[in-house]
PDB file of all heavy atoms in Angstrom:
ATOM      1  N   LYS F   1      79.237 134.509 113.405  1.00  0.00           N
ATOM      2  CA  LYS F   1      80.094 135.442 114.098  1.00  0.00           C
ATOM      3  C   LYS F   1      81.480 135.345 113.537  1.00  0.00           C
ATOM      4  O   LYS F   1      81.951 134.317 113.250  1.00  0.00           O
ATOM      5  CB  LYS F   1      80.093 135.005 115.606  1.00  0.00           C
ATOM      6  CG  LYS F   1      80.730 135.974 116.518  1.00  0.00           C
ATOM      7  CD  LYS F   1      79.812 136.268 117.689  1.00  0.00           C
ATOM      8  CE  LYS F   1      80.474 137.226 118.671  1.00  0.00           C
ATOM      9  NZ  LYS F   1      80.213 138.532 118.366  1.00  0.00           N
ATOM     10  N   ASP F   2      82.067 136.556 113.355  1.00  0.00           N
ATOM     11  CA  ASP F   2      83.337 136.623 112.682  1.00  0.00           C
ATOM     12  C   ASP F   2      84.437 136.007 113.600  1.00  0.00           C
ATOM     13  O   ASP F   2      84.384 136.069 114.836  1.00  0.00           O
ATOM     14  CB  ASP F   2      83.692 138.055 112.443  1.00  0.00           C
ATOM     15  CG  ASP F   2      84.922 138.253 111.626  1.00  0.00           C
ATOM     16  OD1 ASP F   2      85.203 137.380 110.747  1.00  0.00           O
ATOM     17  OD2 ASP F   2      85.728 139.190 111.856  1.00  0.00           O
ATOM     18  N   SER F   3      85.314 135.260 112.904  1.00  0.00           N
ATOM     19  CA  SER F   3      86.507 134.734 113.618  1.00  0.00           C
ATOM     20  C   SER F   3      87.563 134.477 112.506  1.00  0.00           C
ATOM     21  O   SER F   3      87.328 134.512 111.338  1.00  0.00           O
ATOM     22  CB  SER F   3      86.133 133.353 114.211  1.00  0.00           C
ATOM     23  OG  SER F   3      85.784 132.370 113.288  1.00  0.00           O
ATOM     24  N   VAL F   4      88.792 134.270 113.001  1.00  0.00           N
ATOM     25  CA  VAL F   4      89.949 134.108 112.066  1.00  0.00           C
ATOM     26  C   VAL F   4      89.836 132.877 111.320  1.00  0.00           C
ATOM     27  O   VAL F   4      89.479 131.796 111.888  1.00  0.00           O
ATOM     28  CB  VAL F   4      91.279 134.131 112.986  1.00  0.00           C
ATOM     29  CG1 VAL F   4      92.450 133.899 112.058  1.00  0.00           C
ATOM     30  CG2 VAL F   4      91.408 135.433 113.648  1.00  0.00           C
ATOM     31  N   GLY F   5      90.000 132.906 110.046  1.00  0.00           N
ATOM     32  CA  GLY F   5      90.119 131.614 109.188  1.00  0.00           C
ATOM     33  C   GLY F   5      88.890 131.236 108.526  1.00  0.00           C
ATOM     34  O   GLY F   5      88.929 130.120 107.886  1.00  0.00           O
ATOM     35  N   ILE F   6      87.816 131.838 108.617  1.00  0.00           N
ATOM     36  CA  ILE F   6      86.608 131.341 107.959  1.00  0.00           C
ATOM     37  C   ILE F   6      86.763 131.227 106.462  1.00  0.00           C
ATOM     38  O   ILE F   6      86.581 130.074 105.885  1.00  0.00           O
ATOM     39  CB  ILE F   6      85.408 132.273 108.269  1.00  0.00           C
ATOM     40  CG1 ILE F   6      85.030 132.234 109.772  1.00  0.00           C
ATOM     41  CG2 ILE F   6      84.218 131.862 107.477  1.00  0.00           C
ATOM     42  CD1 ILE F   6      83.949 133.286 110.172  1.00  0.00           C
ATOM     43  N   ILE F   7      87.213 132.257 105.840  1.00  0.00           N
ATOM     44  CA  ILE F   7      87.425 132.168 104.357  1.00  0.00           C
ATOM     45  C   ILE F   7      88.410 131.191 104.019  1.00  0.00           C
ATOM     46  O   ILE F   7      88.179 130.338 103.064  1.00  0.00           O
ATOM     47  CB  ILE F   7      87.808 133.523 103.790  1.00  0.00           C
ATOM     48  CG1 ILE F   7      86.751 134.587 104.033  1.00  0.00           C
ATOM     49  CG2 ILE F   7      88.205 133.443 102.370  1.00  0.00           C
ATOM     50  CD1 ILE F   7      87.180 135.973 103.664  1.00  0.00           C
ATOM     51  N   ALA F   8      89.568 131.049 104.689  1.00  0.00           N
ATOM     52  CA  ALA F   8      90.572 130.021 104.409  1.00  0.00           C
ATOM     53  C   ALA F   8      89.981 128.666 104.533  1.00  0.00           C
ATOM     54  O   ALA F   8      90.276 127.712 103.665  1.00  0.00           O
ATOM     55  CB  ALA F   8      91.730 130.185 105.392  1.00  0.00           C
ATOM     56  N   LYS F   9      89.226 128.364 105.567  1.00  0.00           N
ATOM     57  CA  LYS F   9      88.751 127.016 105.785  1.00  0.00           C
ATOM     58  C   LYS F   9      87.704 126.634 104.712  1.00  0.00           C
ATOM     59  O   LYS F   9      87.736 125.497 104.221  1.00  0.00           O
ATOM     60  CB  LYS F   9      88.091 126.878 107.150  1.00  0.00           C
ATOM     61  CG  LYS F   9      89.097 126.888 108.263  1.00  0.00           C
ATOM     62  CD  LYS F   9      88.536 126.943 109.632  1.00  0.00           C
ATOM     63  CE  LYS F   9      89.694 127.073 110.654  1.00  0.00           C
ATOM     64  NZ  LYS F   9      89.184 127.421 111.963  1.00  0.00           N
ATOM     65  N   VAL F  10      86.801 127.655 104.355  1.00  0.00           N
ATOM     66  CA  VAL F  10      85.817 127.389 103.374  1.00  0.00           C
ATOM     67  C   VAL F  10      86.508 127.140 101.947  1.00  0.00           C
ATOM     68  O   VAL F  10      86.242 126.168 101.190  1.00  0.00           O
ATOM     69  CB  VAL F  10      84.768 128.454 103.255  1.00  0.00           C
ATOM     70  CG1 VAL F  10      83.843 128.255 102.063  1.00  0.00           C
ATOM     71  CG2 VAL F  10      83.990 128.521 104.525  1.00  0.00           C
ATOM     72  N   CYS F  11      87.478 127.952 101.629  1.00  0.00           N
ATOM     73  CA  CYS F  11      88.150 127.808 100.309  1.00  0.00           C
ATOM     74  C   CYS F  11      88.949 126.575 100.286  1.00  0.00           C
ATOM     75  O   CYS F  11      88.990 125.904  99.186  1.00  0.00           O
ATOM     76  CB  CYS F  11      89.016 129.041 100.077  1.00  0.00           C
ATOM     77  SG  CYS F  11      88.069 130.565  99.782  1.00  0.00           S
ATOM     78  N   THR F  12      89.639 126.228 101.340  1.00  0.00           N
ATOM     79  CA  THR F  12      90.421 124.949 101.391  1.00  0.00           C
ATOM     80  C   THR F  12      89.475 123.777 101.198  1.00  0.00           C
ATOM     81  O   THR F  12      89.733 122.844 100.415  1.00  0.00           O
ATOM     82  CB  THR F  12      91.189 124.842 102.700  1.00  0.00           C
ATOM     83  OG1 THR F  12      92.037 125.889 102.844  1.00  0.00           O
ATOM     84  CG2 THR F  12      91.901 123.517 102.809  1.00  0.00           C
ATOM     85  N   TYR F  13      88.331 123.743 101.815  1.00  0.00           N
ATOM     86  CA  TYR F  13      87.389 122.605 101.683  1.00  0.00           C
ATOM     87  C   TYR F  13      86.936 122.531 100.241  1.00  0.00           C
ATOM     88  O   TYR F  13      86.871 121.473  99.682  1.00  0.00           O
ATOM     89  CB  TYR F  13      86.097 122.896 102.580  1.00  0.00           C
ATOM     90  CG  TYR F  13      85.089 121.854 102.367  1.00  0.00           C
ATOM     91  CD1 TYR F  13      85.229 120.620 103.093  1.00  0.00           C
ATOM     92  CD2 TYR F  13      84.046 122.024 101.547  1.00  0.00           C
ATOM     93  CE1 TYR F  13      84.225 119.665 102.898  1.00  0.00           C
ATOM     94  CE2 TYR F  13      83.002 121.073 101.346  1.00  0.00           C
ATOM     95  CZ  TYR F  13      83.150 119.865 102.090  1.00  0.00           C
ATOM     96  OH  TYR F  13      82.192 118.933 101.855  1.00  0.00           O
ATOM     97  N   LEU F  14      86.578 123.637  99.563  1.00  0.00           N
ATOM     98  CA  LEU F  14      86.141 123.630  98.232  1.00  0.00           C
ATOM     99  C   LEU F  14      87.219 123.144  97.254  1.00  0.00           C
ATOM    100  O   LEU F  14      86.969 122.350  96.378  1.00  0.00           O
ATOM    101  CB  LEU F  14      85.626 124.997  97.832  1.00  0.00           C
ATOM    102  CG  LEU F  14      84.362 125.513  98.552  1.00  0.00           C
ATOM    103  CD1 LEU F  14      84.083 126.934  98.116  1.00  0.00           C
ATOM    104  CD2 LEU F  14      83.245 124.611  98.398  1.00  0.00           C
ATOM    105  N   ALA F  15      88.427 123.633  97.477  1.00  0.00           N
ATOM    106  CA  ALA F  15      89.584 123.139  96.648  1.00  0.00           C
ATOM    107  C   ALA F  15      89.736 121.640  96.776  1.00  0.00           C
ATOM    108  O   ALA F  15      89.961 120.945  95.826  1.00  0.00           O
ATOM    109  CB  ALA F  15      90.864 123.896  97.071  1.00  0.00           C
ATOM    110  N   GLU F  16      89.644 121.070  98.049  1.00  0.00           N
ATOM    111  CA  GLU F  16      89.784 119.668  98.152  1.00  0.00           C
ATOM    112  C   GLU F  16      88.736 118.799  97.454  1.00  0.00           C
ATOM    113  O   GLU F  16      88.973 117.692  97.125  1.00  0.00           O
ATOM    114  CB  GLU F  16      89.801 119.349  99.687  1.00  0.00           C
ATOM    115  CG  GLU F  16      90.990 119.788 100.504  1.00  0.00           C
ATOM    116  CD  GLU F  16      90.838 119.693 101.956  1.00  0.00           C
ATOM    117  OE1 GLU F  16      89.687 119.389 102.440  1.00  0.00           O
ATOM    118  OE2 GLU F  16      91.773 119.980 102.694  1.00  0.00           O
ATOM    119  N   LYS F  17      87.568 119.446  97.253  1.00  0.00           N
ATOM    120  CA  LYS F  17      86.458 118.799  96.651  1.00  0.00           C
ATOM    121  C   LYS F  17      86.397 119.124  95.078  1.00  0.00           C
ATOM    122  O   LYS F  17      85.465 118.721  94.358  1.00  0.00           O
ATOM    123  CB  LYS F  17      85.121 119.259  97.189  1.00  0.00           C
ATOM    124  CG  LYS F  17      85.047 118.942  98.642  1.00  0.00           C
ATOM    125  CD  LYS F  17      85.166 117.423  98.995  1.00  0.00           C
ATOM    126  CE  LYS F  17      85.054 117.197 100.479  1.00  0.00           C
ATOM    127  NZ  LYS F  17      85.528 115.895 100.806  1.00  0.00           N
ATOM    128  N   ASN F  18      87.432 119.859  94.634  1.00  0.00           N
ATOM    129  CA  ASN F  18      87.527 120.223  93.151  1.00  0.00           C
ATOM    130  C   ASN F  18      86.376 121.134  92.734  1.00  0.00           C
ATOM    131  O   ASN F  18      85.871 120.983  91.624  1.00  0.00           O
ATOM    132  CB  ASN F  18      87.594 118.889  92.297  1.00  0.00           C
ATOM    133  CG  ASN F  18      88.307 119.204  91.013  1.00  0.00           C
ATOM    134  OD1 ASN F  18      89.124 120.157  90.900  1.00  0.00           O
ATOM    135  ND2 ASN F  18      88.122 118.384  90.027  1.00  0.00           N
ATOM    136  N   ILE F  19      85.978 121.970  93.657  1.00  0.00           N
ATOM    137  CA  ILE F  19      84.880 122.930  93.357  1.00  0.00           C
ATOM    138  C   ILE F  19      85.585 124.320  93.163  1.00  0.00           C
ATOM    139  O   ILE F  19      86.326 124.771  94.070  1.00  0.00           O
ATOM    140  CB  ILE F  19      83.866 123.031  94.504  1.00  0.00           C
ATOM    141  CG1 ILE F  19      83.170 121.617  94.666  1.00  0.00           C
ATOM    142  CG2 ILE F  19      82.862 124.102  94.318  1.00  0.00           C
ATOM    143  CD1 ILE F  19      82.224 121.490  95.839  1.00  0.00           C
ATOM    144  N   ASN F  20      85.434 124.910  92.003  1.00  0.00           N
ATOM    145  CA  ASN F  20      86.022 126.134  91.681  1.00  0.00           C
ATOM    146  C   ASN F  20      85.200 127.334  91.983  1.00  0.00           C
ATOM    147  O   ASN F  20      84.004 127.433  91.775  1.00  0.00           O
ATOM    148  CB  ASN F  20      86.361 126.200  90.107  1.00  0.00           C
ATOM    149  CG  ASN F  20      87.170 127.369  89.740  1.00  0.00           C
ATOM    150  OD1 ASN F  20      88.109 127.741  90.395  1.00  0.00           O
ATOM    151  ND2 ASN F  20      86.893 127.955  88.628  1.00  0.00           N
ATOM    152  N   ILE F  21      85.832 128.359  92.649  1.00  0.00           N
ATOM    153  CA  ILE F  21      85.206 129.556  93.071  1.00  0.00           C
ATOM    154  C   ILE F  21      85.223 130.526  91.850  1.00  0.00           C
ATOM    155  O   ILE F  21      86.280 130.842  91.353  1.00  0.00           O
ATOM    156  CB  ILE F  21      85.871 130.208  94.283  1.00  0.00           C
ATOM    157  CG1 ILE F  21      85.763 129.278  95.458  1.00  0.00           C
ATOM    158  CG2 ILE F  21      85.186 131.589  94.618  1.00  0.00           C
ATOM    159  CD1 ILE F  21      86.720 129.638  96.645  1.00  0.00           C
ATOM    160  N   LEU F  22      84.053 130.995  91.401  1.00  0.00           N
ATOM    161  CA  LEU F  22      83.962 131.896  90.197  1.00  0.00           C
ATOM    162  C   LEU F  22      83.815 133.323  90.768  1.00  0.00           C
ATOM    163  O   LEU F  22      84.320 134.201  90.080  1.00  0.00           O
ATOM    164  CB  LEU F  22      82.755 131.465  89.414  1.00  0.00           C
ATOM    165  CG  LEU F  22      82.720 130.011  88.935  1.00  0.00           C
ATOM    166  CD1 LEU F  22      81.374 129.725  88.217  1.00  0.00           C
ATOM    167  CD2 LEU F  22      83.876 129.843  87.946  1.00  0.00           C
ATOM    168  N   ASP F  23      83.114 133.521  91.777  1.00  0.00           N
ATOM    169  CA  ASP F  23      82.932 134.930  92.302  1.00  0.00           C
ATOM    170  C   ASP F  23      82.716 134.838  93.834  1.00  0.00           C
ATOM    171  O   ASP F  23      82.179 133.865  94.286  1.00  0.00           O
ATOM    172  CB  ASP F  23      81.709 135.561  91.704  1.00  0.00           C
ATOM    173  CG  ASP F  23      81.693 137.030  91.774  1.00  0.00           C
ATOM    174  OD1 ASP F  23      82.646 137.628  92.358  1.00  0.00           O
ATOM    175  OD2 ASP F  23      80.832 137.650  91.140  1.00  0.00           O
ATOM    176  N   ILE F  24      83.165 135.867  94.466  1.00  0.00           N
ATOM    177  CA  ILE F  24      83.058 135.781  96.051  1.00  0.00           C
ATOM    178  C   ILE F  24      82.909 137.247  96.511  1.00  0.00           C
ATOM    179  O   ILE F  24      83.466 138.170  95.990  1.00  0.00           O
ATOM    180  CB  ILE F  24      84.348 135.198  96.609  1.00  0.00           C
ATOM    181  CG1 ILE F  24      84.241 135.079  98.121  1.00  0.00           C
ATOM    182  CG2 ILE F  24      85.650 135.930  96.211  1.00  0.00           C
ATOM    183  CD1 ILE F  24      85.315 134.282  98.733  1.00  0.00           C
ATOM    184  N   SER F  25      81.995 137.332  97.536  1.00  0.00           N
ATOM    185  CA  SER F  25      81.734 138.664  98.156  1.00  0.00           C
ATOM    186  C   SER F  25      81.612 138.391  99.617  1.00  0.00           C
ATOM    187  O   SER F  25      80.906 137.420 100.034  1.00  0.00           O
ATOM    188  CB  SER F  25      80.487 139.308  97.590  1.00  0.00           C
ATOM    189  OG  SER F  25      80.177 140.489  98.328  1.00  0.00           O
ATOM    190  N   GLN F  26      82.257 139.211 100.398  1.00  0.00           N
ATOM    191  CA  GLN F  26      82.175 138.995 101.841  1.00  0.00           C
ATOM    192  C   GLN F  26      82.138 140.367 102.554  1.00  0.00           C
ATOM    193  O   GLN F  26      82.726 141.289 102.100  1.00  0.00           O
ATOM    194  CB  GLN F  26      83.289 138.108 102.434  1.00  0.00           C
ATOM    195  CG  GLN F  26      84.688 138.613 102.319  1.00  0.00           C
ATOM    196  CD  GLN F  26      85.121 139.420 103.531  1.00  0.00           C
ATOM    197  OE1 GLN F  26      84.641 139.230 104.583  1.00  0.00           O
ATOM    198  NE2 GLN F  26      85.995 140.327 103.341  1.00  0.00           N
ATOM    199  N   THR F  27      81.562 140.398 103.705  1.00  0.00           N
ATOM    200  CA  THR F  27      81.512 141.596 104.514  1.00  0.00           C
ATOM    201  C   THR F  27      81.375 141.180 106.009  1.00  0.00           C
ATOM    202  O   THR F  27      80.917 140.151 106.336  1.00  0.00           O
ATOM    203  CB  THR F  27      80.365 142.519 104.099  1.00  0.00           C
ATOM    204  OG1 THR F  27      80.420 143.706 104.730  1.00  0.00           O
ATOM    205  CG2 THR F  27      78.995 141.873 104.331  1.00  0.00           C
ATOM    206  N   ILE F  28      81.817 142.136 106.823  1.00  0.00           N
ATOM    207  CA  ILE F  28      81.652 141.969 108.266  1.00  0.00           C
ATOM    208  C   ILE F  28      80.796 143.210 108.773  1.00  0.00           C
ATOM    209  O   ILE F  28      81.254 144.395 108.524  1.00  0.00           O
ATOM    210  CB  ILE F  28      83.007 141.891 108.935  1.00  0.00           C
ATOM    211  CG1 ILE F  28      83.719 140.644 108.420  1.00  0.00           C
ATOM    212  CG2 ILE F  28      82.805 141.775 110.518  1.00  0.00           C
ATOM    213  CD1 ILE F  28      85.197 140.557 108.764  1.00  0.00           C
ATOM    214  N   VAL F  29      79.756 142.898 109.436  1.00  0.00           N
ATOM    215  CA  VAL F  29      78.917 144.066 109.967  1.00  0.00           C
ATOM    216  C   VAL F  29      78.686 143.790 111.470  1.00  0.00           C
ATOM    217  O   VAL F  29      78.096 142.731 111.733  1.00  0.00           O
ATOM    218  CB  VAL F  29      77.632 144.132 109.157  1.00  0.00           C
ATOM    219  CG1 VAL F  29      76.696 145.236 109.817  1.00  0.00           C
ATOM    220  CG2 VAL F  29      77.862 144.354 107.682  1.00  0.00           C
ATOM    221  N   GLY F  30      79.118 144.657 112.285  1.00  0.00           N
ATOM    222  CA  GLY F  30      78.891 144.491 113.761  1.00  0.00           C
ATOM    223  C   GLY F  30      79.399 143.181 114.280  1.00  0.00           C
ATOM    224  O   GLY F  30      78.777 142.605 115.194  1.00  0.00           O
ATOM    225  N   GLY F  31      80.499 142.762 113.763  1.00  0.00           N
ATOM    226  CA  GLY F  31      81.094 141.469 114.249  1.00  0.00           C
ATOM    227  C   GLY F  31      80.516 140.187 113.684  1.00  0.00           C
ATOM    228  O   GLY F  31      80.894 139.084 113.997  1.00  0.00           O
ATOM    229  N   PHE F  32      79.639 140.344 112.729  1.00  0.00           N
ATOM    230  CA  PHE F  32      79.025 139.208 112.021  1.00  0.00           C
ATOM    231  C   PHE F  32      79.542 139.058 110.555  1.00  0.00           C
ATOM    232  O   PHE F  32      79.602 140.129 109.889  1.00  0.00           O
ATOM    233  CB  PHE F  32      77.454 139.323 112.044  1.00  0.00           C
ATOM    234  CG  PHE F  32      76.936 139.035 113.427  1.00  0.00           C
ATOM    235  CD1 PHE F  32      76.611 140.131 114.230  1.00  0.00           C
ATOM    236  CD2 PHE F  32      76.730 137.775 113.934  1.00  0.00           C
ATOM    237  CE1 PHE F  32      76.108 139.924 115.449  1.00  0.00           C
ATOM    238  CE2 PHE F  32      76.264 137.575 115.152  1.00  0.00           C
ATOM    239  CZ  PHE F  32      75.930 138.580 115.984  1.00  0.00           C
ATOM    240  N   PHE F  33      79.958 137.914 110.231  1.00  0.00           N
ATOM    241  CA  PHE F  33      80.528 137.588 108.902  1.00  0.00           C
ATOM    242  C   PHE F  33      79.445 137.127 108.008  1.00  0.00           C
ATOM    243  O   PHE F  33      78.565 136.314 108.372  1.00  0.00           O
ATOM    244  CB  PHE F  33      81.558 136.499 109.121  1.00  0.00           C
ATOM    245  CG  PHE F  33      82.229 136.085 107.854  1.00  0.00           C
ATOM    246  CD1 PHE F  33      83.287 136.784 107.387  1.00  0.00           C
ATOM    247  CD2 PHE F  33      81.731 134.981 107.072  1.00  0.00           C
ATOM    248  CE1 PHE F  33      83.943 136.379 106.148  1.00  0.00           C
ATOM    249  CE2 PHE F  33      82.448 134.598 105.978  1.00  0.00           C
ATOM    250  CZ  PHE F  33      83.461 135.277 105.550  1.00  0.00           C
ATOM    251  N   ASN F  34      79.506 137.622 106.744  1.00  0.00           N
ATOM    252  CA  ASN F  34      78.533 137.171 105.649  1.00  0.00           C
ATOM    253  C   ASN F  34      79.332 137.088 104.365  1.00  0.00           C
ATOM    254  O   ASN F  34      80.024 138.037 103.991  1.00  0.00           O
ATOM    255  CB  ASN F  34      77.440 138.225 105.531  1.00  0.00           C
ATOM    256  CG  ASN F  34      76.419 137.864 104.527  1.00  0.00           C
ATOM    257  OD1 ASN F  34      76.190 136.649 104.225  1.00  0.00           O
ATOM    258  ND2 ASN F  34      75.700 138.835 104.003  1.00  0.00           N
ATOM    259  N   MET F  35      79.229 135.952 103.744  1.00  0.00           N
ATOM    260  CA  MET F  35      79.940 135.675 102.497  1.00  0.00           C
ATOM    261  C   MET F  35      78.991 134.966 101.535  1.00  0.00           C
ATOM    262  O   MET F  35      78.121 134.084 101.942  1.00  0.00           O
ATOM    263  CB  MET F  35      81.200 134.821 102.752  1.00  0.00           C
ATOM    264  CG  MET F  35      81.966 134.475 101.450  1.00  0.00           C
ATOM    265  SD  MET F  35      83.576 133.799 101.769  1.00  0.00           S
ATOM    266  CE  MET F  35      83.231 132.244 102.582  1.00  0.00           C
ATOM    267  N   MET F  36      79.147 135.378 100.300  1.00  0.00           N
ATOM    268  CA  MET F  36      78.327 134.719  99.257  1.00  0.00           C
ATOM    269  C   MET F  36      79.281 134.361  98.091  1.00  0.00           C
ATOM    270  O   MET F  36      80.178 135.121  97.768  1.00  0.00           O
ATOM    271  CB  MET F  36      77.235 135.647  98.692  1.00  0.00           C
ATOM    272  CG  MET F  36      76.443 135.076  97.571  1.00  0.00           C
ATOM    273  SD  MET F  36      75.106 136.246  97.188  1.00  0.00           S
ATOM    274  CE  MET F  36      74.299 135.326  95.938  1.00  0.00           C
ATOM    275  N   MET F  37      79.212 133.148  97.647  1.00  0.00           N
ATOM    276  CA  MET F  37      80.055 132.649  96.611  1.00  0.00           C
ATOM    277  C   MET F  37      79.320 132.012  95.405  1.00  0.00           C
ATOM    278  O   MET F  37      78.310 131.358  95.722  1.00  0.00           O
ATOM    279  CB  MET F  37      81.094 131.602  97.094  1.00  0.00           C
ATOM    280  CG  MET F  37      81.791 131.934  98.374  1.00  0.00           C
ATOM    281  SD  MET F  37      82.621 130.518  99.165  1.00  0.00           S
ATOM    282  CE  MET F  37      84.199 130.675  98.356  1.00  0.00           C
TER     283      MET F  37
END
């Protein structure tokens, strides 16, 4: 379910673990959040 800060929290977690994001796609449909990285 979509909420404020999902992307920020996931990206912060990955950065803390030294995991680099190469590509990202996200969408919100009918109030539901979907992201693939």
